[in-house]
Amino acid sequence: MATKRADIIEFYGETCPHCLSMKPVIEKIEKDKDIEITKLEVWNDTDNQAIMTKYEAIIGEACGGFAAVPSFVNTKTGKALCGTHTAVDIIALIV
């Protein structure tokens, strides 16, 4: 069975400790659910920063008023999570 691309974008910073702590959580979700989450590094990549800007309002709402990393956006539902989360939280965003 082919891996399905989820409607989720993870925005992260390359050396962000909170983002790094989410890496094994995301990898496990991808493996367990046979999905691929789009990961965009925004601290050093201006193209990815521009994409994050498109979702700034919903990320800001999830982050308490400003866009921050790590952030997870469901591009289909327009919902977002900000900061470190459990696998259960991320999976709930996917559904």
Side-chain angles (χ1 to χ4, degrees), residues 14-80:
E14 184 177 19
T15 58
C16 163
H18 305 292
C19 302
L20 293 171
S21 74
M22 289 303 300
K23 188 174 180 176
V25 175
I26 298 303
E27 288 172 351
K28 181 167 179 13
I29 291 169
E30 288 178 319
K31 181 180 176 197
D32 291 351
K33 298 292 183 185
D34 195 29
I35 61 170
E36 182 180 345
I37 293 172
T38 301
K39 298 163 202 71
L40 300 178
E41 199 287 327
V42 296
W43 283 4
N44 303 301
D45 188 310
T46 55
D47 292 337
N48 290 345
Q49 289 170 11
I51 295 168
M52 186 177 185
T53 300
K54 293 178 186 177
Y55 299 101
E56 191 168 7
I58 59 173
I59 294 170
E61 186 177 320
C63 291
F66 57 93
V69 294
S71 293
F72 303 88
V73 175
N74 183 318
T75 59
K76 197 171 194 175
T77 66
K79 296 188 188 263

